[in-house]
Amino acid sequence: MSEESNISPESVDATDGMPMLGLGTWQNDDPEQCVETVRTALEMGYRYIDTAQAYDNETSVGEGIRASAVDRDEVFLATKLWYDQLDRDTIVESAQSSVDRLGVDTIELLYPHWPAGSYDAEETMDGFAELVDTGVIERIGLSNFTPELIDEARSVSDEPIFALQVECHPLLQQEQLREYCADAGIELVAYSPLARGAVFDVPEIEEIAQKHGVSQAQVSLAWLGEHGITAIPKATGQEHLRDNLAAATLELDAEDVQAIDDIDREERQINPSFAPDSW
């Protein structure tokens, strides 16, 4: 049975086919829970599902899509190749393995997860371009890249870069990357958009949430949307799924947006040893 929601898929704005609000599946690696989460989310109104090879749940994500009452052609699906799968001789086979695990014919958006390990700008971008040419993927994204690394990838890529996925939230506002992407015509996708829950304790966000009678999560996600940033919060329970989705219809006023813009904190939540230098 589908889950009732007050949010229609049409209310989640899309940019070039990519909805502005999606479901992240990081740490959702219990197979049964992952299948049910994806199914429930789609039937609530989500149309964008994000996964990765490193999440070890591509099979479950695919099962959740098929278990839902939503047609496959209505779902925007993204995944990422891990950093040891990015050399020219491995990319095509690795991406096809993701396609097979997901049980789909093509993937709407594929990222190199990190510019690390076997990543080489020319080799990796050549492999991704081949995946576009053969229809394995529709669009190329970059994940956890700095402006300098994006420049390098763009300079050697035969296909346009559609999206950049990075950590972004009111406590890590990524002004430089936002400006870069706006100038380059690249969509910005925010992972960890709730800063692993840290946004719940920010006074400015709490005040705005009380003003509108909504959750701090909705305020944070709506703020990203006001800046044209796609958010992919992770959630499993129906209550959190529904609450996050409701952010799609929350309209913040200019005063609200400015109050969050003025938060002078930079608190990165994800910073592994293989992350780019000076990011």
Side-chain angles (χ1 to χ4, degrees), residues 99-114:
V99 166
D100 293 342
R101 284 190 293 270
L102 289 160
V104 297
D105 295 324
T106 190
I107 296 168
E108 279 71 32
L109 178 60
L110 183 70
Y111 303 89
H113 206 149
W114 291 89

Side-chain angles (χ1 to χ4, degrees), residues 112-124:
H113 206 149
W114 291 89
S118 60
Y119 174 77
D120 173 85
E122 188 166 357
E123 286 196 10
T124 302

Side-chain angles (χ1 to χ4, degrees), residues 45-117:
Y46 287 83
R47 290 296 181 269
Y48 176 12
I49 308 295
D50 179 272
T51 183
Q53 290 182 341
Y55 301 168
D56 196 27
N57 63 8
E58 288 178 322
T59 298
S60 299
V61 166
E63 290 178 7
I65 293 172
R66 289 188 295 279
S68 78
V70 177
D71 290 340
R72 169 68 184 99
D73 60 7
E74 295 182 28
V75 181
F76 189 95
L77 178 61
T79 192
K80 312 172 196 72
L81 302 188
W82 191 237
Y83 66 55
D84 63 355
Q85 303 291 302
L86 300 176
D87 60 278
R88 187 65 183 83
D89 294 334
T90 304
I91 288 171
V92 172
E93 181 179 355
S94 183
Q96 186 60 53
S97 295
S98 284
V99 166
D100 293 342
R101 284 190 293 270
L102 289 160
V104 297
D105 295 324
T106 190
I107 296 168
E108 279 71 32
L109 178 60
L110 183 70
Y111 303 89
H113 206 149
W114 291 89

